[in-house]
Amino acid sequence: GSLRRDEPEMLTLLAALGRIYCAGAEIDWETIYPSGNLVKLPPYPWQRERFWIESSSKRDVGFRHAEGHPLAGEPVRTATGDWIWTARLDTHAHPWLKDHVVGGNILLPASAFMELGAAAAFAIFGGGSAQVEKLRIMRAAVIPLDDFGELQAIGTRNAGDLFDMRFFWRETGAEEWTQTAECTLRRSTQNAQAATRLTDWEDAEFSPRTITGRQHAELMKELGYDFGPNFRQIDWLALKETMGL
């Protein structure tokens, strides 16, 4: 079925029709929209281009911010072979951070550490395949609403194509750095991926155990995770044993 409990019936039906149309089926749209001009649109995603207007109040965010990663800028290679990224993070340069509120505080999300780890691996290994392993969050990085904090990521060679990555954070005016997270970077020798039987997930969207994105957001809010629009991108969520879709 295409209907779910506590979901608007018309919106759910129209969304189902849209998916059927994208799959190649012919829909008699004039039955739904008897008046007006109907324009036939391609079912594939549009190739959009965005032209953002740069704010005149844009602040420097990275130690070497002209190029490199949007969060941490360009790294500095030390004489001992370490790689160091230093960034100043605030909600003015990165307004999306205000949508990640946990327990009433704006926190740097765990996905940001994964993203920085992947960017560091790309820089250290000169591109190609790499893995971010054993990410461990040790302490939350609390970002002030009207001020900034400093993030430093340090990559140190462990052995061969293995690097230890450590993340440090300090609030405005603080002298001491506090380690917030760590992970391991490893160069991949092949692009092998774990095999997944997609047939096991057929009709997962309509399973009785599947919840909608709105239900997921409400459950997370009850646990203290008050996420804004940038962190509420789940349409539906299905769980099966140790896997999720």
Side-chain angles (χ1 to χ4, degrees), residues 147-176:
D147 213 326
F148 66 91
E150 290 182 282
L151 176 70
Q152 189 168 97
I154 303 176
T156 305
R157 185 184 296 275
N158 183 314
D161 287 336
L162 191 67
F163 273 74
D164 294 327
M165 199 77 186
R166 293 173 296 159
F167 300 90
F168 297 86
W169 178 263
R170 69 177 178 184
E171 298 179 357
T172 307
E175 294 185 1
E176 299 294 328

Side-chain angles (χ1 to χ4, degrees), residues 5 13 21 27 55 69 88 117 151 157 176 186 201 207:
R5 181 179 299 175
L13 284 172
Y21 174 72
I27 306 296
S55 171
H69 195 273
R88 187 174 73 174
L151 176 70
R157 185 184 296 275
E176 299 294 328
R186 183 190 304 274
W201 294 92
S207 169

Side-chain angles (χ1 to χ4, degrees), residues 48-66:
R48 296 178 296 176
E49 289 188 62
R50 297 180 179 180
F51 300 90
W52 300 110
I53 299 177
E54 295 291 341
S55 171
S56 59
S57 60
K58 184 176 180 181
R59 303 166 67 175
D60 297 349
V61 294
F63 182 73
R64 298 171 63 187
H65 64 278

Side-chain angles (χ1 to χ4, degrees), residues 16 33 35 47 58 63 73 92 104 110 129-130 157 173 178 217 231:
Y33 303 103
S35 61
Q47 300 299 314
K58 184 176 180 181
F63 182 73
H92 298 286
S129 298
R157 185 184 296 275
T178 301
F231 289 89

Side-chain angles (χ1 to χ4, degrees), residues 6-241:
D6 299 328
E7 288 293 300
E9 295 181 1
M10 183 57 70
L11 290 178
T12 305
L13 284 172
L14 291 175
L17 280 177
R19 288 193 291 270
I20 293 174
Y21 174 72
C22 290
E26 289 292 334
I27 306 296
D28 185 8
W29 296 110
E30 293 183 353
T31 303
I32 305 174
Y33 303 103
S35 61
N37 297 323
L38 295 178
V39 179
K40 189 174 181 63
L41 298 177
Y44 54 81
W46 293 4
Q47 300 299 314
R48 296 178 296 176
E49 289 188 62
R50 297 180 179 180
F51 300 90
W52 300 110
I53 299 177
E54 295 291 341
S55 171
S56 59
S57 60
K58 184 176 180 181
R59 303 166 67 175
D60 297 349
V61 294
F63 182 73
R64 298 171 63 187
H65 64 278
E67 298 178 353
H69 195 273
L71 278 179
E74 285 282 349
V76 172
R77 292 199 63 180
T78 69
T80 58
D82 290 348
W83 296 67
I84 301 177
W85 289 259
T86 304
R88 187 174 73 174
L89 302 182
D90 60 57
T91 58
H92 298 286
H94 304 286
W96 54 271
L97 287 170
K98 291 186 289 187
D99 284 348
H100 192 263
V101 178
V102 180
N105 295 309
I106 301 174
L107 303 185
L108 186 65
S111 55
F113 292 108
M114 286 295 296
E115 167 63 26
L116 289 169
F122 187 86
I124 291 173
F125 299 132
S129 298
Q131 295 175 324
V132 180
E133 303 176 344
K134 302 178 182 178
L135 174 65
R136 183 165 73 102
I137 306 297
M138 307 163 70
R139 186 170 180 174
V142 181
I143 302 174
L145 179 60
D146 297 317
D147 213 326
F148 66 91
E150 290 182 282
L151 176 70
Q152 189 168 97
I154 303 176
T156 305
R157 185 184 296 275
N158 183 314
D161 287 336
L162 191 67
F163 273 74
D164 294 327
M165 199 77 186
R166 293 173 296 159
F167 300 90
F168 297 86
W169 178 263
R170 69 177 178 184
E171 298 179 357
T172 307
E175 294 185 1
E176 299 294 328
W177 293 86
T178 301
Q179 185 171 356
T180 60
E182 63 183 11
C183 66
T184 301
L185 310 180
R186 183 190 304 274
R187 187 197 299 272
S188 298
T189 56
Q190 56 185 2
N191 293 321
Q193 298 180 351
T196 301
R197 292 178 54 185
L198 297 180
T199 54
D200 293 343
W201 294 92
E202 288 182 349
D203 299 324
E205 181 180 357
F206 307 110
S207 169
R209 295 194 301 172
T210 297
I211 63 174
T212 65
R214 186 175 67 178
Q215 291 171 326
H216 175 262
E218 291 173 352
L219 289 173
M220 296 298 289
K221 188 172 183 178
E222 292 177 2
L223 297 174
Y225 297 85
D226 192 6
F227 294 159
N230 284 297
F231 289 89
R232 297 180 64 170
Q233 302 297 319
I234 295 178
D235 184 25
W236 54 270
L237 176 66
L239 300 176
K240 182 183 295 186
E241 297 177 356

